[in-house]
Amino acid sequence: MIQKTINSFRYALRGLKTTWSEEHNFRTEVFATVLVVISIFYFDFTFVEAAILVLAVTLVLCAEIINTVVEDLCNKVEPSHDPIIAKIKDTSGAFVLVAVIGAVVAGVFVLLNHF
């Protein structure tokens, strides 16, 4: 039971490492996450403000991971161009875009509260 749990973490960390090494956007979003965490301490955000920002950046990172999964799966299922696969990949990318927009809006709201 414990070994199964350890293996689950090992596989998840391997997936995270793969996403980091293969996805430029993910690395950019992790860099933005680091800036957000630094800002939390620099601006002395409240617990609620910090929680909102952490949830926002976590959503973006999760969305990027899901987008990577969808794109890789689509490429495996249909390596040549297909309009339905293109629609699926575009929609998955839109998921990331909406998450990023939401995170930016949340960040602006929190920052405006301090100025």
Side-chain angles (χ1 to χ4, degrees):
M1 176 83 160
I2 292 176
Q3 187 59 44
K4 194 173 184 179
T5 302
I6 291 170
N7 286 340
S8 294
F9 277 104
R10 188 174 298 135
Y11 301 144
L13 290 173
R14 186 172 64 193
L16 199 57
K17 180 181 175 186
T18 300
T19 305
W20 172 267
S21 65
E22 294 180 4
E23 297 297 325
H24 171 74
N25 288 344
F26 185 75
R27 292 189 301 273
T28 301
E29 291 154 356
V30 168
F31 177 72
T33 299
V34 170
L35 293 178
V36 168
V37 171
I38 291 168
S39 296
I40 287 171
F41 294 104
Y42 180 79
F43 291 107
D44 196 30
F45 292 145
T46 67
F47 178 81
V48 172
E49 291 169 331
I52 289 168
L53 293 177
V54 167
L55 286 172
V57 296
T58 301
L59 173 63
V60 170
L61 295 175
C62 289
E64 190 64 54
I65 291 169
I66 293 293
N67 183 53
T68 299
V69 169
V70 169
E71 288 185 351
D72 286 351
L73 183 59
C74 286
N75 291 340
K76 180 71 174 175
V77 169
E78 183 56 63
S80 61
H81 179 75
D82 179 87
I84 300 299
I85 295 293
K87 178 182 173 185
I88 292 167
K89 291 165 84 173
D90 290 348
T91 305
S92 181
F95 175 56
V96 178
L97 179 62
V98 169
V100 168
I101 291 170
V104 168
V105 169
V108 167
F109 285 168
V110 169
L111 275 175
L112 287 177
N113 193 38
H114 288 267
F115 294 104

